[in-house]
Amino acid sequence: MLGLVTAAEVRDALAEVADPEDAVFLQRFFKTGHGQYGEGDVFIGVRVPQTRAVAKRFGGMPLDQLRELLDSEVHEHRLAALIILNRDFELASRPRALDEARREEIASFYLDAVRRGRVNNWDLVDASAEFVLGEYLVDRPRDLLFELAASEVLWERRVAVLSSFAFIKHGDASTTLELAALLLEDREDLMHKAVGWMLREVGKRVDRDALLAFLDEHAAEMPRTMLSYATEHLGAEQRADYRARR
């Protein structure tokens, strides 16, 4: 769907496929209870494949309408906005239609959403960070990611790490390894999982020796979950050796 479409149209389309029973499940799955990481998040019961199908119909939305969706208390509204934003950034990045001004506009819009706390659950981060901010920074300075990694806000730190997935996919593990070293003492399990996941991808996609060198230096101080994720694709004996170093 091209042209000027509105946030209201997206909300209506999501409402048509929402399931109250799924809403109850998703509220529990994304830890929305008091004191949990997703406290206060609201779900209407739309699963991710359905949200993606709806978002696919609304490409090219004006940023003010995407901002309205991102400012919604409803999780699926925010996810749909991010999926639309991913697609718009990808279109602006195609070699035959490269639009640097548009790419910068979208990346700035995304960063603003992150800093305003609108990309505020792990699935929202994981569905967007590498595709917008990460791809934008592939051939640019990456100081911003280290600023985000030093934030007191969990989701900003996760955006920093997940953005580096784009670099990994381009064959560059350097930023991921630097961020991982900085985040070894992070107290959040969701960060342990994110860092371990990215380290695993370094070993699988870029440089196994670079991963092993990182583990040789840091395995003894890595949180258990981070180390477990990072060593998943290694052989059983090698995994056991690294885990015994803790």
Side-chain angles (χ1 to χ4, degrees):
M1 180 180 294
L2 300 176
L4 297 179
V5 292
T6 67
E9 291 177 85
V10 177
R11 291 194 297 266
D12 289 346
L14 290 169
E16 289 177 3
V17 294
D19 183 327
E21 291 186 6
D22 280 344
V24 173
F25 167 78
L26 292 169
Q27 295 275 163
R28 291 197 303 267
F29 182 77
F30 285 99
K31 308 297 184 185
T32 62
H34 178 68
Q36 296 180 308
Y37 63 74
E39 181 176 357
D41 210 350
V42 175
F43 288 80
I44 57 174
V46 185
R47 298 292 182 123
V48 171
Q50 294 171 301
T51 303
R52 290 190 177 279
V54 168
K56 189 175 181 179
R57 294 159 45 193
F58 294 97
M61 284 184 65
L63 292 181
D64 67 319
Q65 295 301 301
L66 287 174
R67 184 184 180 99
E68 185 175 326
L69 286 173
L70 285 168
D71 284 346
S72 171
E73 66 175 1
V74 175
H75 187 99
E76 293 93 336
H77 295 171
R78 302 196 302 283
L79 178 58
L82 292 168
I83 293 169
I84 293 168
L85 199 67
N86 290 347
R87 176 63 172 168
D88 290 349
F89 187 85
E90 190 273 331
L91 289 173
S93 302
R94 290 183 174 180
R96 292 185 179 180
L98 185 63
D99 186 341
E100 286 292 355
R102 177 64 172 161
R103 293 175 84 244
E104 182 175 358
E105 180 182 40
I106 293 173
S108 295
F109 177 86
Y110 177 76
L111 181 59
D112 175 71
V114 169
R115 287 174 164 162
R116 292 191 300 108
R118 308 318 301 154
V119 186
N120 57 346
N121 213 314
W122 61 263
D123 65 316
L124 302 180
V125 173
D126 297 3
S128 60
E130 64 169 291
F131 302 107
V132 178
L133 194 57
E135 284 295 335
Y136 181 70
L137 293 175
V138 162
D139 56 358
R140 290 176 169 80
R142 301 169 186 177
D143 302 32
L144 169 62
L145 298 188
F146 293 90
E147 293 175 19
L148 292 173
S151 171
E152 294 183 1
V153 179
L154 164 62
W155 309 122
E156 293 186 10
R157 301 198 303 278
R158 190 165 174 114
V159 164
V161 174
L162 265 293
S163 291
S164 78
F165 203 175
F167 314 150
I168 292 171
K169 291 179 177 179
H170 284 273
D172 178 4
S174 60
T175 300
T176 304
L177 294 172
E178 288 183 62
L179 289 169
L182 290 174
L183 291 165
L184 289 172
E185 296 183 4
D186 199 292
R187 294 186 177 184
E188 294 287 349
D189 187 62
L190 284 172
M191 289 303 301
H192 301 168
K193 292 176 179 177
V195 173
W197 171 21
M198 290 301 99
L199 287 171
R200 181 186 71 209
E201 295 301 320
V202 166
K204 289 172 60 178
R205 296 171 182 260
V206 184
D207 189 340
R208 180 185 176 90
D209 288 340
L211 169 63
L212 296 180
F214 184 93
L215 294 173
D216 287 341
E217 183 176 356
H218 297 294
E221 57 185 319
M222 291 172 69
R224 185 180 303 278
T225 299
M226 185 186 297
L227 183 60
S228 178
Y229 273 56
T231 58
E232 276 182 348
H233 72 293
L234 302 181
E237 185 175 340
Q238 201 167 29
R239 288 200 310 271
D241 173 61
Y242 280 121
R243 293 173 187 181
R245 300 185 191 189
R246 293 187 71 258

